[in-house]
Amino acid sequence: MPIDIDIEAPGDRKRALRAIAPEEASSHHSLLRRMFTAEVEFRRRLAHDDLGDDDWDPAWGEDDNYFENVYWCAWLLFLVGDPADVPAMWHAKYKVDFDLQCCFDIESMLGGGPIRTVAWLREQGMLEIADGLAQWCRDDCREQLARWSADRRHYFLGN
């Protein structure tokens, strides 16, 4: 079922994240990509004070109501497992702000499996990203990734 949201409104994005069952993440892949881009831009604007008082919609509440949207969206993209999502996640982790650099989990980038993901990145000529991920996980890390994903599920959904 399609989810209709105002992609620019962080509250709508949060409601959409709640509406996407993890088992159905793949059917919302395009929306998740757009939401991830919007979340990263939202965080960038907050970090660089590009989101001034005139731009802040009081209906959104405080920005801390939405700071985890980017992590939740990344986890759902992990479940999709498309290596093509990794460059945007890498950018979010290393090029946006200090909080994302510290708190954005590398595991989010490995939903397609470390070996497959690194191979795809190398084929695309994205050697910096491929080398970075290859150093992080030298084997397929299935058990570690399964534990991480289960932890994320419990954190975001409580089950």
Side-chain angles (χ1 to χ4, degrees):
M1 175 162 88
I3 298 173
D4 185 35
I5 68 167
D6 174 0
I7 202 76
E8 298 303 317
D12 274 16
R13 294 191 305 266
K14 187 172 187 174
R15 281 187 291 283
L17 289 168
R18 286 183 179 151
I20 297 172
E23 299 76 21
E24 298 173 6
S26 291
S27 65
H28 298 284
H29 191 195
S30 177
L31 175 61
L32 287 167
R33 281 181 165 169
R34 291 188 348 260
M35 288 192 336
F36 186 79
T37 298
E39 290 301 335
V40 170
E41 177 60 13
F42 181 67
R43 294 291 292 268
R44 187 200 64 76
R45 291 180 73 194
L46 284 173
H48 299 284
D49 286 332
D50 291 346
L51 195 60
D53 292 337
D54 294 341
D55 297 323
W56 189 260
D57 184 338
W60 296 347
E62 298 295 321
D63 67 311
D64 60 349
N65 290 334
Y66 309 109
F67 82 97
E68 291 194 343
N69 284 5
V70 70
Y71 307 118
W72 195 344
C73 194
W75 172 62
L76 290 170
L77 286 169
F78 165 89
L79 296 175
V80 172
D82 186 348
D85 294 326
V86 172
M89 291 186 193
W90 186 268
H91 173 83
K93 179 164 181 67
Y94 292 109
K95 309 288 185 193
V96 177
D97 72 9
F98 182 75
D99 289 341
L100 283 173
Q101 187 170 6
C102 294
C103 300
F104 193 95
D105 294 334
I106 290 285
E107 291 92 339
S108 299
M109 299 181 219
L110 298 170
I115 295 168
R116 178 175 162 246
T117 299
V118 168
W120 184 88
L121 291 164
R122 289 193 194 290
E123 289 170 8
Q124 304 307 309
M126 299 177 189
L127 301 181
E128 176 189 359
I129 302 172
D131 292 345
L133 292 179
Q135 288 178 3
W136 184 85
C137 189
R138 299 203 183 277
D139 57 25
D140 76 4
C141 308
R142 273 186 234 189
E143 289 179 29
Q144 181 178 353
L145 291 172
R147 280 192 309 273
W148 174 84
S149 184
D151 288 346
R152 294 288 84 200
R153 179 184 189 97
H154 179 74
Y155 183 79
F156 291 122
L157 305 176
N159 59 16

